[in-house]
Amino acid sequence: MQSIRRVAVIGGNRIPFARSNSRYASASNADMLGAALDGLVARYGLAGQRVGEVVAGAVLKHSRDFNLTREVVLGSRLDPHTPAYDIQQACGTGLEAAILVANKIALGQIDVGIAGGVDTTSDAPLAVNEDLRRTLIKLNSARTLGERLKVAAKLRPLQPFKPEIPRNAEPRTGLSMGDHAARTALTWNIDRRSQDELALRSHQRLAAAYDRGFFDDLMTPYLGLTRDQNLRPDTSLEKLGSLKPVFGTRGADADQATMTAGNSSPLTDGASTVLLATEEWAREHNLPVLAWFSWSETAAVDFVHGDEGLLMAPAYAVPRMLARAGLTLQDFDYYEIHEAFASQVLATLAAWESPEFCKDRLGLDAPLGAIDRDRLNVNGSSLAAGHPFAATGGRIVATLAKLLAEKGGGRGLISICAAGGQGVTAILER
Ligand SMILES: CC(=O)CC(=O)SCCNC(=O)CCNC(=O)[C@H](O)C(C)(C)COP(=O)(O)OP(=O)(O)OC[C@H]1O[C@@H](n2cnc3c(N)ncnc32)[C@H](O)[C@@H]1OP(=O)(O)O
């Protein structure tokens, strides 16, 4: 039997994130993931090398991109003998890709691997409507002109022009991510001011991190962007407080809606990659280790039949991971909690502080307790940087690993909520 090996985070590379339908409007997922990968390959001298595996994904993907990651690898300077494949776990995709690569490294199946993620809401995969799709398939398989004419005769004049537009909504409820989060915000009494304060801190901290050059070796400029386009260093509590609610604005609780464009992550385009390896590989290639990828856990909640909030799965995943690792919630120097919405971060923290939630839902004798908020998302997070769904995991892993390297030691927690009621979490240590 093989033994478990330590997994090193060597570094990451991403492109600055762009607002939807803006700077990257004409870039495809392949273009953006390719740019993030090219930067990583250049930074770590991987040109011509056969990497164990490249695992990445996109939440919104064109049907032509059967294996987007492999296509991107074939277009890169990596050795074409590098295997590559796509995965998808909504906003957990990038972190799940890193977990997959880390597990293969730990088990001795590969020595080095790259994880990544990309998404674009500007170049969304519009599909033709279902009737037309089926008719076109029949048309394509018709063998004679007569058969083709018979199928074509069934096409109604305006039918082809009604496309199926992908929605940022749960298939089983029809509600958007934001409307689900708005329900959770009500359940946990998350007030508007706390959400706006969290959003403000995210912008201020991301701006400060850029100003001190933190991202200089984690990012490759792309299509004229050198910083995340959503970053608003000049935003204020007054400006945030003046924005109108956009989620939870229908139904009986509409007057209690608190979620705005300022305290919700924006629709974003972007890509990220992370390099993971064994200690030996890092030594042989003369590359310093930023941090160790030590634990991970996923969880899912039943938001369809039960009353668990759609984006609350990390509240369950983290305590399970802590129990396995023999740690408490307070044993961390940094907390990276993906800011899908300010209210969802605050609801997760409230759940961990709640004796009822921790007893009834987690089966614990005592609440997990509060965290030191000064250690939360210290370089900003998705509210400021933006959130190109599958690319967020890579952004967070690289950011946290570098933070730990800068500090010289410590432990960081990663928590990412995902559509479908899932949560992906991990621990990095140094
Ligand atoms: C998917 C998973 O698996 C899990 C998850 O992560 S769930 C989260 C997934 N992501 C989402 O659901 C995305 C949610 N976001 C959205 O749908 C949209 O961004 C949104 C509806 C919230 C806003 O869209 P929009 O109206 O086009 O935004 P935008 O025009 O940029 O902003 C609206 C206004 O707020 C202002 N604004 C936004 N942020 C601001 C800030 N921080 N400070 C000051 N003003 C701000 C803008 O300037 C704009 O003002 P004007 O109208 O005067 O120009």
Side-chain angles (χ1 to χ4, degrees):
M1 293 290 285
Q2 70 275 53
S3 57
I4 301 288
R5 306 187 298 179
R6 289 213 292 180
V7 179
V9 181
I10 307 296
N13 185 62
R14 70 175 176 98
I15 54 173
F17 293 165
R19 296 179 73 77
S20 171
N21 291 311
S22 181
R23 200 64 76 94
Y24 302 166
S26 56
S28 66
N29 273 336
D31 294 334
M32 292 189 291
L33 186 59
L37 182 61
D38 285 350
L40 191 84
V41 167
R43 182 167 303 132
Y44 294 103
L46 301 173
Q49 290 205 37
R50 181 166 63 81
V51 169
E53 269 181 12
V54 180
V55 185
V59 175
L60 294 173
K61 206 171 78 159
H62 286 277
S63 55
R64 63 170 181 261
D65 291 331
F66 294 112
N67 188 346
L68 172 70
T69 310
R70 174 65 179 149
E71 289 306 320
V72 167
V73 165
L74 285 173
S76 78
R77 293 171 69 209
L78 287 174
D79 182 334
H81 296 94
T82 298
Y85 54 93
D86 290 359
I87 64 157
Q88 209 270 43
Q89 199 179 18
C91 300
T93 300
L95 181 55
E96 196 65 81
I99 293 169
L100 231 160
V101 169
N103 287 351
K104 288 205 173 188
I105 292 171
L107 288 175
Q109 295 166 0
I110 57 174
D111 295 324
V112 57
I114 295 171
V118 59
D119 257 297
T120 165
T121 45
S122 306
D123 183 31
L126 289 195
V128 295
N129 66 69
E130 188 59 12
D131 283 350
L132 178 62
R133 194 180 68 82
R134 292 197 175 273
T135 310
L136 290 175
I137 290 171
K138 277 190 201 146
L139 205 57
N140 194 43
S141 60
R143 275 173 293 183
T144 63
L145 180 63
E147 275 181 35
R148 273 198 285 278
L149 287 173
K150 215 166 131 190
V151 177
K154 287 188 185 147
L155 285 175
R156 275 173 272 128
L158 286 178
Q159 190 189 37
F161 301 108
K162 191 171 160 270
E164 300 261 325
I165 298 169
R167 287 185 60 230
N168 190 6
E170 276 299 321
R172 282 172 193 278
T173 63
L175 289 179
S176 70
M177 301 289 121
D179 283 332
H180 268 286
R183 285 184 174 182
T184 305
L186 283 179
T187 306
W188 288 97
N189 285 321
I190 308 300
D191 63 72
R192 169 77 183 266
R193 186 162 175 104
S194 318
Q195 295 176 49
D196 289 348
E197 283 171 354
L198 192 94
L200 179 66
R201 264 199 307 276
S202 190
H203 285 274
Q204 290 171 336
R205 289 175 175 181
L206 184 67
Y210 270 111
D211 289 348
R212 71 183 179 90
F214 179 84
F215 294 109
D216 288 356
D217 58 356
L218 292 179
M219 202 176 279
T220 311
Y222 186 59
L223 299 183
L225 279 190
T226 53
R227 289 185 173 199
D228 302 311
Q229 201 183 5
N230 185 61
L231 174 60
R232 296 170 192 255
D234 58 345
T235 193
S236 64
L237 269 186
E238 291 66 40
K239 280 186 195 161
L240 286 161
S242 70
L243 301 177
K244 286 200 187 74
V246 288
F247 297 118
T249 53
R250 287 183 302 266
D253 300 318
D255 59 331
Q256 296 176 61
T258 52
M259 293 173 51
T260 68
N263 59 38
S264 304
S265 62
L267 294 169
T268 313
D269 304 337
S272 67
T273 51
V274 180
L275 180 64
L276 302 160
T278 60
E279 209 167 348
E280 293 69 29
W281 188 94
R283 202 169 26 243
E284 280 164 16
H285 290 77
N286 223 2
L287 291 170
V289 173
L290 294 184
W292 304 103
F293 200 107
S294 55
W295 296 89
S296 69
E297 187 85 29
T298 57
V301 292
D302 182 0
F303 64 97
V304 183
H305 312 97
D307 61 352
E308 294 159 308
L310 176 78
L311 302 177
M312 290 299 281
Y316 295 78
V318 164
R320 279 193 220 156
M321 180 167 67
L322 294 176
R324 269 190 229 286
L327 295 169
T328 73
L329 187 59
Q330 289 69 35
D331 288 338
F332 294 86
D333 300 275
Y334 298 110
Y335 302 84
E336 286 288 334
I337 304 185
H338 156 51
E339 297 167 342
F341 303 98
S343 64
Q344 145 271 327
V345 174
L346 295 167
T348 303
L349 296 178
W352 290 334
E353 289 175 29
S354 157
E356 294 77 31
F357 180 88
C358 290
K359 181 167 181 291
D360 301 343
R361 305 291 176 121
L362 304 178
L364 301 175
D365 297 333
L368 293 178
I371 65 164
D372 178 352
R373 297 282 178 97
D374 289 339
R375 300 177 181 194
L376 173 63
N377 299 341
V378 298
N379 278 351
S381 184
S382 309
L383 289 172
H387 172 40
F389 312 126
T392 288
R395 172 185 69 74
I396 292 179
V397 170
T399 299
L400 179 57
K402 186 168 170 191
L403 274 169
L404 291 168
E406 273 188 345
K407 188 171 160 53
R411 190 181 287 123
L413 177 83
I414 301 175
S415 163
I416 299 184
C417 59
Q422 303 201 77
V424 188
T425 62
I427 295 175
L428 302 189
E429 298 180 65
R430 185 183 165 106

